[in-house]
C-alpha cells in the first residue's frame, strides 16, 4: 500500500462538487480537503485536466500513522506522506545532526515497555529497524522466563510478547523487507560501530523479523543465542567451517542425512579436516578416538536419519568435554518439544527448520543454537558467506512455530500408535522407532526425550517392486523428500535418496535396503491414516 501525492478524479458533466464537506471530513484530524477546479486554460478538447485535492499537513500526518498501523503486518516499511499538491515538493534538507555525545541520543519507550535507542514511535506507530538495547533485551528474556514455563507458551509468545526489534501494536510480528538500515548521521554510525548504539546495518547481518524468530528458538532450546539461516544444510556447513580449524578432526556417526555425509567426506578433506565415522552406540570407539586424536568436534543427529538411532547425549557430552571437544547435535527429528540437547550437555543444537519447526511444508530454513560465544563465531562466518534467511520466510516460520507443540504432540501420538500396529503386522519385517521397546536405544530415548517424534521407518516383507506397490497404493501421504509437516509424507530411501548408488553399495555402506520405507505422519486423523495403511498392505 502506498499513498500517492495526488488523487486524480475524472471529470463529471455537472458543476456539483465532487464531495460534500461531510464526505471529506476525517474523524482523525477533522480536516477537509480543498478541491481545486482546473483553470480555463487547462481545458483541451472539452476535457478537463485532473483535479487535485489539497489536504492540510495534519491530515497527512494522521493518515500516515493510521496507514502504518493498519499495514504493519504485511511488510510495509514506510508510508509515503508527501504534500498533496500540484507543486513539486520543496527540497528537504538534512536532518539536524545529533550530538556526538552518546548520552544525548534520544530514547523512547516502545509500546511494550522496551527501550528504543535513537528514536522510536508511540503505540500508534511502527519503528522499523531499531532493536531493543541490550539491557532491555535482558529484561525481556527475564520476563519471558518468569512467566512462561511450558514449551507451548514459549512457542506462542517468546521473542514477541515482551519486546522485539519493532515497536508495533500488531499482535503478530511484521515482516521487514529491507536490504539495509539507515543512520541519522555519521556520529550515530560511529556509535553503532563502537557498540554504543543498537541498530541493524545490512540485511545479511540481521533483520528485526528474523531476530524475533531467533529469540523464540533460543527460549525453546534454553540457549543464549540462535542464528537462523537459509537451510538446515547451510547451518551444518557454517558450523563446520566456523568451528573446525584446517587440519582439525571430527567424529560423526554412520547413520545421518546423506548430504551431510557427502559434505563431511568430500568437502572437509579439502580443508585438511579428518573425520572418524562410528556407530551411534559405539561409545568405546568414541573414547579411543578422543584419546588418540586432537578432536575438535563430535557431530551427530539424534534421532538419526533414517533409522532413528539415539545418542546418549549426556554421556557423549561428558566424554567429549573431558577431551576438549565440542558436541553438536542435529535435533531435526526430535524438535525442541521432544528433546533439549543443550540441557543434556551438548554445546550446540542444530535444526532443519523446514521440517517440524516451520511445520507446513512451505518454507526452507535452518538454525543453530548455543552459547553466545560459539554462535558469534558462526555468525562471523555467516556474515561473510551469506546464506541469509529471507524475512518473509522468517515470518512464516514464526507463524508455524506457534502451533509447534500442538502439531508435535499429535504426531508423536500417531507415530507411536502406527509403529505399534506395524510391528504386529505380518507383512512388516522390522520397525525402527525409538518409542518401541524393540528399538536398540529405547532406554536412552526414554531418558532424554519427552516424545519420540512423528517419523517411523520400517521394512516391508518384499523386494523393491513390492515396496513400490505398497507406497503407490496409499491414498493419503505424498511421495516427497521431506518430513515434519502437517501433511503426511512417505518415501522409499533406496529410490528417493540413494538411487544413484548400486544396490550392493547402498546396502553395504549405508544399510539402505530396497524394502525400507520412511513414513512421516502429519496431523491427519489416526483412523484415516491407519485405514489407508491397512488397505495398502492388503494389496501386496
Amino acid at each position: 500500500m502506498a499513498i500517492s501525492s495526488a488523487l486524480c478524479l475524472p471529470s463529471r458533466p455537472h458543476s456539483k462538487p465532487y464531495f460534500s464537506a461531510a464526505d471529506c471530513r476525517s474523524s482523525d484530524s477533522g480536516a477537509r480537503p480543498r478541491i481545486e477546479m482546473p483553470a480555463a486554460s487547462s481545458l483541451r478538447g472539452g476535457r478537463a485536466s485532473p483535479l487535485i485535492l489539497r489536504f492540510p499537513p495534519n491530515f497527512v500526518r494522521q493518515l500516515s500513522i493510521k496507514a502504518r498501523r493498519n499495514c504493519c503486518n504485511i511488510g510495509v516499511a514506510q508510508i509515503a506522506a508527501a504534500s498533496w499538491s500540484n507543486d513539486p515538493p520543496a527540497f528537504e534538507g538534512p536532518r539536524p545532526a545529533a550530538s556526538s555525545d552518546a548520552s544525548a541520543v534520544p530514547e523512547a519507550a516502545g509500546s511494550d515497555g522496551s527501550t528504543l535507542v535513537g528514536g522510536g514511535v508511540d503505540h500508534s506507530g511502527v519503528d522499523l529497524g531499531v532493536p531493543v538495547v541490550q539491557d532491555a533485551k535482558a529484561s525481556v528474556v527475564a520476563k519471558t522466563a518468569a512467566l512462561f514455563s511450558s514449551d507451548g507458551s514459549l512457542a506462542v509468545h517468546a521473542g514477541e510478547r515482551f519486546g522485539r526489534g519493532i515497536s508495533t501494536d500488531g499482535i503478530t510480528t511484521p515482516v521487514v523487507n529491507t536490504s539495509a538500515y539507515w543512520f541519522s548521521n555519521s556520529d550515530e554510525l560511529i556509535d553503532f560501530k563502537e557498540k554504543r548504539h543498537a541498530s541493524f546495518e545490512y540485511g545479511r547481518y540481521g533483520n528485526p523479523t528474523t531476530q524475533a524468530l531467533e529469540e523464540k528458538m533460543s527460549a525453546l532450546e534454553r540457549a543464549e543465542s540462535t542464528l537462523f539461516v537459509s537451510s538446515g544444510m547451510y547451518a551444518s556447513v557454517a558450523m563446520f567451517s566456523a568451528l573446525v580449524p584446517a587440519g582439525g578432526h571430527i567424529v560423526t556417526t554412520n547413520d545421518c542425512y546423506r548430504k551431510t555425509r557427502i559434505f563431511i567426506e568430500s568437502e572437509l578433506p579439502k580443508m585438511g579436516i579428518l573425520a572418524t565415522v562410528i556407530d551411534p552406540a559405539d561409545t568405546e570407539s568414541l573414547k579411543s578416538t578422543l584419546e588418540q586424536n586432537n578432536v575438535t568436534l563430535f557431530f551427530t543427529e539424534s534421532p538419526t536419519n533414517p533409522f532413528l538411532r539415539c545418542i546418549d547425549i549426556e554421556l557423549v557430552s561428558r566424554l567429549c568435554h573431558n577431551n576438549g571437544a565440542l558436541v553438536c547435535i542435529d535435533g531435526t527429528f526430535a524438535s525442541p518439544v521432544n528433546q533439549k540437547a543443550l540441557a543434556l550437555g551438548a554445546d550446540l543444537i542444530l535444526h532443519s527448520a523446514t521440517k517440524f519447526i516451520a511445520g507446513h511444508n512451505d518454507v526452507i530454513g535452518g538454525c543453530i543454537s548455543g552459547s553466545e560465544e560459539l554462535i558469534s563465531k558462526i555468525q562471523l562466518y555467516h556474515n561473510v558467506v551469506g546464506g541469509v534467511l529471507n524475512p518473509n520466510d522468517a515470518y512464516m516460520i514464526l507463524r508455524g512455530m506457534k502451533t509447534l507443540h500442538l502439531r508435535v504432540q499429535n504426531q508423536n501420538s500417531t507415530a507411536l500408535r502406527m509403529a505399534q500396529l506395524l510391528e504386529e503386522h505380518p507383512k512388516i519385517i522390522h520397525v525402527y522407532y525409538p518409542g518401541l521397546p524393540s528399538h536398540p536405544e529405547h532406554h536412552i530415548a526414554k531418558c532424554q526425550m519427552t516424545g519420540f517424534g512423528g517419523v517411523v521407518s520400517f521394512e516391508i516383507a518384499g523386494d523393491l517392486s513390492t515396496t513400490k506397490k505398497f507406497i503407490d497404493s496409499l491414498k493419503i501421504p505424498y511421495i516427497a523428500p521431506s518430513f515434519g509437516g502437517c501433511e503426511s509424507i512417505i518415501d522409499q530411501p533406496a529410490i528417493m535418496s540413494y538411487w544413484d548408488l548400486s544396490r550392493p553399495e547402498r546396502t553395504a555402506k549405508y544399510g539402505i535396503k530396497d524394502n525400507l520405507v520412511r513414513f512421516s505422519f502429519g496431523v491427519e486423523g489416526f483412523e484415516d491414516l491407519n485405514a489407508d495403511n491397512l488397505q495398502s498392505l492388503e494389496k501386496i
Side-chain angles (χ1 to χ4, degrees), residues 311-335:
I311 310 300
D312 188 333
I313 299 174
E314 186 175 4
L315 173 61
V316 165
S317 297
R318 186 166 63 249
L319 292 173
C320 289
H321 294 162
N322 288 341
N323 289 273
L326 297 171
V327 175
C328 179
I329 302 296
D330 184 334
T332 301
F333 274 80
S335 87

Side-chain angles (χ1 to χ4, degrees), residues 306 422 427-432 456-460 467 470 474 490 515-519 521 533 537:
L422 287 168
K427 294 183 179 179
I428 303 299
I429 296 176
H430 193 86
V431 178
Y432 303 92
V456 179
S457 295
F458 52 95
E459 293 171 354
I460 297 287
T467 308
F470 164 73
L474 291 167
I490 194 167
N515 61 346
L516 179 66
V517 174
R518 190 184 72 176
F519 204 142
F521 294 100
N533 230 21
L537 285 169

Side-chain angles (χ1 to χ4, degrees), residues 380-463:
L380 288 174
Y381 173 87
H382 169 70
N383 287 353
V384 173
V385 176
V388 181
L389 182 70
N390 185 291
N392 293 280
D393 293 341
Y395 174 83
M396 294 182 73
I397 298 173
L398 265 173
R399 184 188 62 179
M401 286 184 71
K402 293 178 190 292
T403 59
L404 174 64
H405 59 298
L406 301 176
R407 290 184 285 102
V408 169
Q409 289 166 4
N410 181 279
Q411 290 165 309
N412 286 342
S413 174
T414 297
L416 178 59
R417 294 173 68 185
M418 292 296 295
Q420 292 168 338
L421 292 174
L422 287 168
E423 193 171 44
E424 297 173 357
H425 200 283
K427 294 183 179 179
I428 303 299
I429 296 176
H430 193 86
V431 178
Y432 303 92
Y433 187 67
L436 296 176
S438 59
H439 189 278
E441 285 87 44
H442 177 63
H443 62 291
I444 295 174
K446 284 196 305 180
C447 293
Q448 67 186 28
M449 300 180 74
T450 56
F452 304 110
V455 179
V456 179
S457 295
F458 52 95
E459 293 171 354
I460 297 287
D463 56 10

Side-chain angles (χ1 to χ4, degrees), residues 72-262:
C72 67
N73 288 330
I74 58 173
V76 177
Q78 292 179 332
I79 301 295
S83 175
W84 297 52
S85 170
N86 259 338
D87 302 323
F91 172 73
E92 183 179 319
R95 289 165 291 179
S99 169
S100 59
D101 183 357
S103 64
V105 176
E107 293 185 356
S111 60
D112 47 22
S114 60
T115 301
L116 303 176
V117 175
V121 294
D122 62 14
H123 193 62
S124 64
V126 176
D127 191 338
L128 301 172
V130 185
V132 292
V133 296
Q134 292 302 315
D135 289 346
K137 180 178 178 182
S139 175
V140 166
V141 172
K143 286 182 181 179
T144 302
L147 184 60
F148 303 125
S149 60
S150 70
D151 283 344
S153 296
L154 290 171
V156 174
H157 293 298
E160 301 182 88
R161 186 65 178 89
F162 291 123
R164 44 196 163 195
I166 314 162
S167 179
T168 172
D169 55 5
I171 293 175
T172 58
T173 297
V175 182
V176 181
N177 281 317
T178 186
S179 60
Y181 307 86
W182 59 277
F183 296 86
S184 297
N185 51 62
S186 297
D187 286 334
E188 185 178 88
L189 175 57
I190 291 172
D191 286 341
F192 168 76
K193 292 293 185 180
E194 296 181 358
K195 302 187 185 305
R196 293 188 298 272
H197 173 72
S199 182
F200 295 91
E201 179 183 1
Y202 188 57
R204 197 167 76 246
Y205 310 151
N207 177 279
T209 310
T210 306
Q211 183 186 63
L213 174 61
E214 290 169 341
E215 291 174 357
K216 188 181 294 289
M217 180 56 69
S218 291
L220 278 171
E221 287 289 10
R222 315 300 195 263
E224 289 182 3
S225 184
T226 294
L227 173 66
F228 260 85
V229 294
S230 57
S231 71
M233 190 64 224
Y234 173 80
S236 297
V237 170
M239 183 272 300
F240 284 125
S241 301
L243 300 182
V244 184
H249 194 131
I250 72 165
V251 179
T252 189
T253 56
N254 54 14
D255 187 31
C256 69
Y257 176 50
R258 190 183 173 201
K259 292 299 187 295
T260 304
R261 182 78 174 267
I262 290 173

Side-chain angles (χ1 to χ4, degrees), residues 361 477-483 488-492 496 518 520:
N361 292 316
Y478 292 92
I479 301 174
S482 192
F483 60 89
S488 291
I489 287 178
I490 194 167
D491 77 89
Q492 192 170 354
M496 184 67 73
R518 190 184 72 176
S520 170

Side-chain angles (χ1 to χ4, degrees), residues 456-510:
V456 179
S457 295
F458 52 95
E459 293 171 354
I460 297 287
D463 56 10
L464 183 75
S465 298
T466 304
T467 308
K468 283 169 54 182
K469 185 176 181 180
F470 164 73
I471 290 175
D472 293 345
S473 298
L474 291 167
K475 307 299 182 183
I476 295 177
Y478 292 92
I479 301 174
S482 192
F483 60 89
C486 291
E487 299 86 359
S488 291
I489 287 178
I490 194 167
D491 77 89
Q492 192 170 354
I495 298 176
M496 184 67 73
S497 304
Y498 295 89
W499 194 243
D500 57 312
L501 301 179
S502 66
R503 180 181 292 108
E505 187 177 2
R506 62 178 178 253
T507 302
K509 186 175 182 178
Y510 299 102

